[in-house]
Amino acid sequence: MLTSPVVRCIKQQIPGAVVHYLTKKAFLPVAQAIGHTDKIYSIESDIAEVINELKNEGYDFIVDLHHNLRTMQVKRALKKDSAAFPKLNIEKWLMVNLRINKLPGIHIVDRYFETLDSLGVENDKRGLEYHIPPNEEVDLNTLPASHKDEYIGFVIGANHYTKQLPVHKIISLCKQIEMPIVLLGGKNDEAKASEIEQALKDKVYNACGKYSIHGSASLLRQAKKIITHDTGLMHIAAAFKKDIISVWGNTIPEFGMYPYMPGANSHIVEVKPLSCRPCSKIGFKACPKKHFKCMEQIDEDLIVKLIRNS
């Protein structure tokens, strides 16, 4: 999602540009949805799966926005001019381990464009982009009658436990929100969503694991407002310029991956200051300190107030 402005600007600002995209197969639907690509290559795990085909394409330039072992293998094999995104691993390590903030204070999307300096491509400041296939749009008439007209979208999951509100906090928060709520997430979130649904009954519609990524995107697009953790659906919501309340746990927005150009009434909710935060640049399966204050102390009243004032 965060690479979508880069692809769009290359395509639109370099006359005659042909743009190919390489990603993992798990992310193929999203790569297709961002548009502006002429061809997409995907792999399960190893670039050897496609490297011979890539060699035959005759590329002029490689834009490396991942800068990891796989992308280095691609560049080494293709032997073409390239530019790589600086990942700021040292700066992130200093912040996580020593609480020394040397981070640049700009969004990762804006830093991506530094990779394009030699191409003369500039950020058009139009934000992220996501195109839902027409046959994947969700008809709200298929939702319960209570949720057809207006609802809050609540993205309940994330890749790591320490980036998610505990179930009891989600239940407590939902009880205080006056509007109907649609729970959004993937199959990994089904058990969690079921527990929330049992506690709240008809107050929520559990959409977790019931829709494709495009279907979930459609429900995001049609929501009144979005509550979300730091996760992929948050960035899809930003592509639709939704008003987003993003809730942050062990990671921090200063790493540069907060919602990019979302709706004007968007807010970040986090526990500040907290001496143990951030404890990781990604996340953990459990709180290393055992207290999980970064999520347990999230101000529910503030979130409810932000919803009411929308």
Side-chain angles (χ1 to χ4, degrees), residues 163-179:
K163 297 171 78 171
Q164 306 175 41
L165 283 164
V167 169
H168 73 90
K169 289 281 285 187
I170 295 177
I171 292 171
S172 175
L173 180 55
C174 289
K175 285 180 178 178
Q176 300 173 67
I177 295 173
E178 297 168 357
M179 293 178 60

Side-chain angles (χ1 to χ4, degrees), residues 99-129:
R99 304 295 183 268
I100 297 174
N101 190 355
K102 296 293 184 179
L103 296 165
I106 61 174
H107 199 281
I108 192 172
V109 170
D110 296 309
R111 292 202 293 114
Y112 279 161
F113 275 88
E114 297 173 7
T115 314
L116 306 180
D117 284 347
S118 65
L119 299 178
V121 175
E122 298 179 348
N123 192 347
D124 60 12
K125 300 297 183 181
R126 287 169 47 198
L128 309 184
E129 196 165 345

Side-chain angles (χ1 to χ4, degrees), residues 262-281:
N265 291 315
S266 295
H267 300 274
I268 288 172
V269 177
E270 57 186 328
V271 179
K272 293 178 72 172
L274 197 60
S275 61
C276 58
R277 181 174 176 264
C279 62
S280 166
K281 66 179 182 180

Side-chain angles (χ1 to χ4, degrees), residues 243-302:
D243 289 340
I244 298 171
I245 300 171
S246 59
V247 181
W248 294 72
N250 80 293
T251 58
I252 55 174
E254 287 84 352
F255 287 153
M257 298 185 72
Y258 48 89
Y260 189 68
M261 298 180 66
N265 291 315
S266 295
H267 300 274
I268 288 172
V269 177
E270 57 186 328
V271 179
K272 293 178 72 172
L274 197 60
S275 61
C276 58
R277 181 174 176 264
C279 62
S280 166
K281 66 179 182 180
I282 301 176
F284 293 113
K285 293 181 179 180
C287 171
K289 298 288 187 180
K290 311 299 182 186
H291 53 61
F292 205 20
K293 288 181 180 179
C294 61
M295 280 302 192
E296 290 289 356
Q297 293 182 1
I298 285 290
D299 189 343
E300 297 175 31
D301 292 338
L302 173 59

Side-chain angles (χ1 to χ4, degrees), residues 146-202:
S146 56
H147 290 67
K148 288 180 180 179
D149 296 325
E150 197 172 63
Y151 61 86
I152 299 295
F154 199 144
V155 182
I156 64 170
N159 280 343
H160 299 275
Y161 174 82
T162 50
K163 297 171 78 171
Q164 306 175 41
L165 283 164
V167 169
H168 73 90
K169 289 281 285 187
I170 295 177
I171 292 171
S172 175
L173 180 55
C174 289
K175 285 180 178 178
Q176 300 173 67
I177 295 173
E178 297 168 357
M179 293 178 60
I181 297 164
V182 172
L183 304 178
L184 293 161
K187 290 189 175 299
N188 291 340
D189 304 309
E190 285 181 335
K192 182 177 181 179
S194 179
E195 185 177 348
I196 297 167
E197 183 181 25
Q198 289 176 18
L200 298 171
K201 308 301 181 187
D202 294 339

Side-chain angles (χ1 to χ4, degrees), residues 43-108:
I43 61 173
E44 289 288 352
S45 60
D46 196 316
I47 63 109
E49 299 166 37
V50 296
I51 199 62
N52 288 334
E53 294 176 81
L54 296 181
K55 287 179 178 178
N56 291 331
E57 292 287 1
Y59 297 116
D60 300 295
F61 196 84
I62 301 169
V63 179
D64 179 3
L65 298 183
H66 208 178
H67 202 179
N68 65 359
L69 178 59
R70 290 189 186 91
T71 59
M72 285 190 283
Q73 290 171 336
V74 170
K75 290 182 290 186
R76 189 181 302 117
L78 298 186
K79 299 181 175 64
K80 301 294 182 178
D81 290 341
S82 65
F85 164 69
K87 297 182 79 168
L88 302 180
N89 287 332
I90 294 174
E91 291 84 351
K92 290 177 181 178
W93 186 92
L94 288 171
M95 189 65 187
V96 169
N97 294 280
L98 302 177
R99 304 295 183 268
I100 297 174
N101 190 355
K102 296 293 184 179
L103 296 165
I106 61 174
H107 199 281
I108 192 172

Side-chain angles (χ1 to χ4, degrees), residues 20-32 39-51 53-54 59 70 74:
H20 291 187
Y21 199 100
L22 174 62
T23 188
K24 283 189 172 182
K25 288 183 179 178
F27 307 128
L28 183 57
V30 177
Q32 292 168 333
K39 185 185 289 188
I40 301 175
Y41 282 98
S42 62
I43 61 173
E44 289 288 352
S45 60
D46 196 316
I47 63 109
E49 299 166 37
V50 296
I51 199 62
E53 294 176 81
L54 296 181
Y59 297 116
R70 290 189 186 91
V74 170

